[in-house]
Amino acid sequence: MPALVLLGAQWGDEGKGKATDLLGGSVDYVVRYQGGNNAGHTVVVGDQKYALHLLPSGILSPGCTPVIGNGVVVDPSVLFSELSGLNERGVDTSKLLISGNAHIITPYNVTVDKVTERFLGKRKIGTTGRGIGPTYADKINRVGIRVQDLYDESILTQKVEAALDAKNQMLTKLYNRRAIAVGQVVEELLGYADKLAPYVADTVLVLNQALDDDKVVLFEGGQGTLLDIDHGTYPFVTSSNPTAGGACTGAGVGPTKISRVIGILKAYTTRVGAGPFPTELFDEDGEALRRIGGERGVTTGRDRRCGWFDAVIARYATRVNGLTDFFLTKLDVLTGWEQIPVCVAYEIDGKRVEELPYSQSDFHHAKPVYEMLPGWSEDISKAKTFAELPKNAQAYVKALEEMSGAPISAIGVGPGRDETIEINSFL
Ligand code: GDP
Ligand code: IMO
Ligand code: MG
């Protein structure tokens, strides 16, 4: 019953797309279990680059069945434009399965995301503006629209009415916007029903049967541990659970089925949007990481905030996810620094703190305590084995492993599928 969870160990954009794609050739199913098209996963195959938002990265591996689980929020217009973009490039997407219980991002959810952010002003979260938070809010408030609702017009109409009742009051009276007509939304959603139908399935049954049949299932997280609604830097988080437990609720498999949890960990740190980030750099080193690492958002095109590696966060990710392995990415980006600072602890109000403080106020003024590790200048992008890395790069990886609390089983030395050093097999 090999069921693997692959997730971001920091604030997203760690290289999950590349890691999933790398494993995709050997797995039977790749499942997205939370989030939606706020994700931006880059996969580079030969000279072809793909940017995936909603679809699981396994869609690029011909033998693999991609699954959108019940925990995902689906914007149908984005889904179809992503599918047709891939079809035009010759990718077969016909095996895709979508849970009938997944919630739909409606046009009013996107509107609410944008107006609430604007209303928050300088306190805004810096969301991707894709309607993610409001759609999950509707789900929890029990006024959400599910994929299966598109197949019962009367129920759909009642649900859209219920959802818009309060929202239209808010839009017109508080935000000075026009009300949204129920009929227009229902018509738009019904317009997707036939096109969606071939993909809709009881994905919980499919996945549990697959596991019973000893098929290999990979759960691909969106976002990252520190963006988790429960375990992240709340309120500067996304509205779902990218952490390992989210795979169980978001796909309908029991925790006893999960055999491996792989944390994708960038060799430095990045973050998009607002919120605390202790190792953030505002100097030329930060600029260099952004430039060399190509740190620009795949979804919104925003520059990513960049900083040194933070071992406190990595340890925290190990703990809350029960990580069995790390996949360290973008080691190549650090080539050329004489010394590389690594944050080993924080200083908070004059005290050294080894673990992530649970208090938000403490975390907001945590100062990084750095240890300097010697750098390397040799090009490492062609390295195929750990032994081929320069001694100082090996020592950097070993130091991170020791501080982070789980073995580093693979190392990314470039964006391509084959630019990876495999140390321990994941399967
Ligand atoms: P994701 O959201 O976690 O899938 O990550 P993104 O795709 O948003 O950002 C990761 C970026 O790093 C992408 O441009 C990848 O092509 C690139 N990338 C992934 N692994 C490596 C690596 O080991 N080295 C380098 N140089 N780039 C990498
Ligand atoms: P991948 O899967 C990085 C951030 C947004 C914002 C916060 C809330 O590519 O790693 P949301 O639209 O989700 O309500 O925004 O979360 N965010 C991401 N940051 N990578 C992502 O996805 C992200 N998805 C959301 O920038 O700060
Ligand atoms: Mg991304």
Side-chain angles (χ1 to χ4, degrees), residues 172-340:
T172 52
K173 295 190 178 142
L174 187 61
Y175 297 121
N176 209 16
R177 306 275 294 212
R178 249 180 300 171
I180 296 171
V182 172
Q184 203 177 324
V185 174
V186 170
E187 192 185 319
E188 176 175 338
L189 294 181
L190 286 176
Y192 297 119
D194 287 349
K195 263 174 94 181
L196 259 177
Y199 303 112
V200 181
D202 182 349
T203 54
V204 173
L205 185 63
V206 170
L207 292 172
N208 279 284
Q209 282 176 340
L211 288 168
D212 289 344
D213 292 344
D214 251 357
K215 300 276 192 243
V216 185
V217 181
L218 176 65
F219 298 92
E220 176 191 10
Q223 293 78 52
T225 300
L226 276 299
L227 285 174
D228 186 280
I229 186 86
D230 286 279
H231 302 292
T233 45
Y234 190 90
F236 302 102
V237 291
T238 193
S239 299
S240 64
N241 289 116
T243 47
C248 296
T249 50
V253 297
T256 51
K257 298 281 167 77
I258 309 288
S259 41
R260 206 100 178 238
V261 186
I262 305 159
I264 313 302
L265 189 65
K266 211 179 270 195
Y268 50 98
T269 315
T270 62
R271 163 159 216 177
V272 191
F277 178 1
T279 64
E280 182 168 16
L281 293 167
F282 300 95
D283 57 7
E284 60 271 25
D285 281 331
E287 204 41 61
L289 286 174
R290 188 171 306 119
R291 180 170 35 83
I292 303 167
E295 297 298 351
R296 180 174 281 259
V298 182
T299 299
T300 57
R302 290 179 287 181
D303 273 354
R304 294 176 181 152
R305 302 159 62 191
C306 296
W308 299 121
F309 184 82
D310 186 336
V312 182
I313 279 173
R315 278 198 290 280
Y316 179 73
T318 303
R319 193 180 319 131
V320 297
N321 294 300
L323 295 181
T324 57
D325 306 78
F326 278 116
F327 188 140
L328 185 71
T329 60
K330 302 192 104 163
L331 186 64
D332 54 302
V333 174
L334 294 179
T335 299
W337 266 274
E338 230 165 84
Q339 295 204 84
I340 308 170

Side-chain angles (χ1 to χ4, degrees), residues 140-198:
I140 300 301
N141 279 333
R142 293 164 294 194
V143 291
I145 310 294
R146 293 187 293 175
V147 167
Q148 58 177 290
D149 297 330
L150 304 192
Y151 303 98
D152 187 327
E153 186 172 346
S154 149
I155 290 220
L156 178 67
T157 308
Q158 287 173 41
K159 289 192 172 180
V160 172
E161 261 166 16
L164 276 177
D165 231 13
K167 279 187 196 69
N168 273 335
Q169 298 285 332
M170 188 181 78
L171 284 172
T172 52
K173 295 190 178 142
L174 187 61
Y175 297 121
N176 209 16
R177 306 275 294 212
R178 249 180 300 171
I180 296 171
V182 172
Q184 203 177 324
V185 174
V186 170
E187 192 185 319
E188 176 175 338
L189 294 181
L190 286 176
Y192 297 119
D194 287 349
K195 263 174 94 181
L196 259 177

